[in-house]
Amino acid sequence: MVLMENIDWLNYKGLEYRDGNLFFNDVSIIELSKKYGTPIYVISEQIIREKYRTLKKVLNSEYKKNHIHYAVKANSNISILKILNTEGAFFDCTSQGEIYTCFKAGIAPERIIYTGNMFTDNDFEFAVKNDVLINLDSISQLDRLVKIYKSLGKEKKTISFRINPEFGAGHHIHDITAGKEVKFGILEHQVVEAYKRAKHFGFERFGIHQHIGSGINNPYNFEKAAEKYFSIIKKLASSLKINFEFIDFGGGLGIPYHANEKPLDLEKYKEIVVKPFKKLIYVENLGEPVFKIEPGRFLVAESCVLLTQINTIKDNGYKLFAGVDAGFNILIRPTMYGAYHHIMACNKIRGKKMLKYDIAGPICESGDILGKERELPELKEGDYLTILDTGAYGYAMSSNYNSRPRPAEILISNGQPFKIREAETFEDLLKNQIIPDHLK
Ligand code: LLP
């Protein structure tokens, strides 16, 4: 695979070399690394806004009554939520903690959909008390939810079920979320029963939902699932006379992680998902439900780079390693999914002397490799590297493994850096531990 970065690709990613130094969104990332230390996540406000606007424009061009719910799990930093809130986004949450964070960002409950799975009664109580729309993942949960409504004396809101359309897609088996073997949603043969039951319990307003997987770059991978979903909606609408308030197609929109990949063709996505949706509601006379999607990665992945410094160059006679200060505690995607993140030298452009390095983090496992056999200009200890496209599922999946504090996050807005999260300290590592008296 050829992985040379060309100028267009760099520009598309908001990157540019000026006098041999890499700039991200008009800011010198070496200067940022020196000012704040490494590792650090650097996020561009402008890129998040651009991604949102691009997607919104495509949807609006076909069907105006649409809501883009940002999947908070991708990156739940409050500043990111606030940026998207000011753009008019809606939000998709998977836990009470995400809903709580949205509230702290000033997001109104009516802009949130709560798509959990394996909901506890406590989850339901939290959502019902806070007037958040619930998207159920199993029929049995309905019975429990009804009890919670009763015990809290609250009026029943809109209810929705997550459908498993059996045709899933995604960049890794862990992220394909449809299929008979998969834990999510309700299969076709139980869908009518689910809504019938909900009607029986007195629910009067309905939505419907599917999410087939994550990291889908080929728009045709949405096609079969969409067809199946449409046929299920058709069946439901005709057998139970349901007028849906919304029809949700989930997230999954991919981004080009490789330098030779093309961005997802949004016009094709529109052809495959939005146009047939419009046709369905017209032909089946379904009124004007809200068209919803829930992208996470698409909105934030490309807004962020992870900066790391090389501390060790090791040539073991077989392989060259560039040892850096970021490991899989900070970015787990390469280790967990074999995911590719493009890596570039911050202070050296590609030249005559290119060498192949494994970029190795400091975690005590051989799996702590952020990039394998990456062709880079000859590197030295003290050089800086930037790891691209880390805005989605980067910080959000980080941990304190090996007792390493998590890094800071810096937001670039109009060319100015703002620290939006402090790096953790050693005290943070210990703050929830309690030493029993006999060990004091
Ligand atoms: N909606 C639901 C119900 C979801 O479960 C997800 C992601 C999304 C929306 C957003 O999907 P996106 O647009 O970001 O693809 N940790 C993995 C990705 C896990 C995605 C889980 N669900 C990764 O790093 O690739």
Side-chain angles (χ1 to χ4, degrees):
M1 189 175 288
V2 186
L3 290 171
M4 304 284 285
E5 312 99 7
N6 61 45
I7 304 275
D8 287 349
W9 194 74
L10 285 184
N11 288 345
Y12 164 78
K13 293 286 182 187
L15 290 159
E16 186 189 359
Y17 278 106
R18 295 185 194 161
D19 296 329
N21 280 326
L22 199 55
F23 279 63
F24 178 54
N25 218 211
D26 280 333
V27 174
S28 156
I29 46 187
I30 298 266
E31 272 175 30
L32 284 183
S33 308
K34 287 184 180 154
K35 181 168 176 190
Y36 296 103
T38 54
I40 38 165
Y41 278 107
V42 178
I43 303 160
S44 154
E45 175 167 348
Q46 184 192 329
I47 294 180
I48 297 174
R49 292 190 187 278
E50 278 169 15
K51 295 289 170 192
Y52 180 84
R53 287 176 195 174
T54 304
L55 191 54
K56 189 71 183 168
K57 201 166 156 197
V58 173
L59 297 186
N60 280 350
S61 70
E62 191 61 36
Y63 188 76
K64 288 227 161 45
K65 206 169 162 191
N66 67 75
H67 292 167
I68 300 178
H69 286 251
Y70 168 58
V72 174
K73 59 177 78 71
N75 192 327
S76 56
N77 188 295
I78 288 186
S79 298
I80 292 183
L81 302 183
K82 279 178 174 279
I83 292 168
L84 286 163
N85 201 26
T86 60
E87 289 292 326
F90 287 66
F91 296 84
D92 158 47
C93 293
T94 194
S95 68
Q96 293 185 40
E98 287 184 0
I99 297 171
Y100 171 83
T101 312
C102 282
F103 289 164
K104 288 286 171 192
I107 292 156
E110 59 271 19
R111 300 184 86 80
I112 299 174
I113 180 168
Y114 183 12
T115 299
N117 71 101
M118 313 311 161
F119 283 107
T120 63
D121 284 359
N122 187 269
D123 292 331
F124 287 146
E125 258 182 59
F126 182 84
V128 170
K129 277 187 185 154
N130 286 295
D131 295 320
V132 170
L133 173 72
I134 299 169
N135 184 31
L136 293 174
D137 189 49
S138 125
I139 300 186
S140 72
Q141 290 168 356
L142 181 66
D143 301 36
R144 287 196 287 120
L145 176 61
V146 168
K147 281 193 194 133
I148 304 284
Y149 266 114
K150 221 176 190 174
S151 71
L152 294 175
K154 283 268 214 174
E155 195 189 321
K156 292 196 186 75
K157 296 210 129 228
T158 307
I159 193 73
S160 163
F161 283 96
R162 176 173 182 163
I163 307 307
N164 177 336
E166 288 178 52
F167 297 100
H171 71 87
H172 186 274
I173 185 79
H174 291 169
D175 293 314
I176 299 174
T177 51
K180 286 199 175 93
E181 304 282 326
V182 164
K183 68 169 177 164
F184 294 108
I186 297 171
L187 292 173
E188 185 177 14
H189 68 279
Q190 293 180 322
V191 174
V192 173
E193 167 61 19
Y195 281 85
K196 208 188 228 169
R197 223 172 149 70
K199 276 192 141 182
H200 163 78
F201 280 129
F203 285 95
E204 287 170 355
R205 288 147 56 199
F206 302 95
I208 190 162
H209 173 277
Q210 71 161 15
H211 169 74
I212 64 163
S214 192
I216 304 167
N217 252 348
N218 179 352
Y220 290 101
N221 288 346
F222 289 99
E223 197 165 26
K224 276 199 166 159
E227 280 168 6
K228 182 75 179 282
Y229 191 38
F230 293 137
S231 80
I232 290 172
I233 293 168
K234 202 165 140 182
K235 195 157 114 189
L236 260 178
S238 63
S239 57
L240 297 178
K241 306 267 168 299
I242 290 181
N243 263 339
F244 290 104
E245 281 186 358
F246 68 84
I247 298 179
D248 190 329
F249 288 81
L253 289 75
I255 61 127
Y257 285 99
H258 288 270
N260 61 353
E261 258 178 307
K262 291 213 165 58
L264 175 72
D265 185 337
L266 289 176
E267 285 301 318
K268 286 244 161 66
Y269 178 79
K270 190 169 90 176
E271 295 291 321
I272 288 163
V273 177
V274 195
K275 278 197 174 159
F277 156 83
K278 245 174 84 176
K279 190 171 160 207
L280 172 87
I281 58 169
Y282 177 74
V283 173
E284 299 302 318
N285 211 4
L286 297 183
E288 226 188 295
V290 177
F291 174 91
K292 286 184 192 285
I293 53 169
E294 300 167 350
R297 189 186 314 269
F298 181 88
L299 296 177
V300 295
E302 292 171 297
S303 74
C304 175
V305 294
L306 171 61
L307 306 182
T308 184
Q309 188 174 25
I310 298 172
N311 48 58
T312 306
I313 297 287
K314 182 193 282 193
D315 183 350
N316 74 359
Y318 294 95
K319 236 178 192 307
L320 258 181
F321 294 92
V324 294
D325 56 10
F328 78 65
N329 57 314
I330 291 173
L331 180 67
I332 203 169
R333 302 192 70 256
T335 305
M336 189 154 171
Y337 310 116
Y340 180 90
H341 283 266
H342 199 64
I343 300 178
M344 295 168 68
C346 300
N347 48 342
K348 286 179 178 156
I349 51 171
R350 304 177 71 88
K352 277 198 193 116
K353 187 149 190 201
M354 300 294 285
L355 296 170
K356 274 194 181 154
Y357 294 90
D358 274 15
I359 312 300
I363 298 296
C364 291
E365 296 196 26
S366 341
D368 191 19
I369 300 291
L370 297 167
K372 262 196 183 320
E373 307 207 333
R374 297 302 176 85
E375 203 178 70
L376 288 158
E378 187 175 16
L379 300 170
K380 293 210 165 41
E381 295 180 1
D383 282 347
Y384 292 94
L385 297 177
T386 182
I387 306 177
L388 272 56
D389 303 321
T390 51
Y393 311 108
Y395 195 99
M397 293 179 81
S398 64
S399 77
N400 291 130
Y401 187 43
N402 279 197
S403 290
R404 289 184 174 273
R406 274 177 278 223
E409 289 180 298
I410 309 295
L411 182 74
I412 306 174
S413 305
N414 295 324
Q416 293 300 312
F418 297 89
K419 195 184 263 185
I420 57 169
R421 191 191 303 256
E422 288 288 359
E424 287 175 337
T425 62
F426 294 144
E427 282 86 67
D428 292 324
L429 297 178
L430 303 183
K431 74 173 181 235
N432 292 327
Q433 296 194 32
I434 300 164
I435 304 170
D437 280 345
H438 72 282
L439 294 179
K440 274 182 183 156

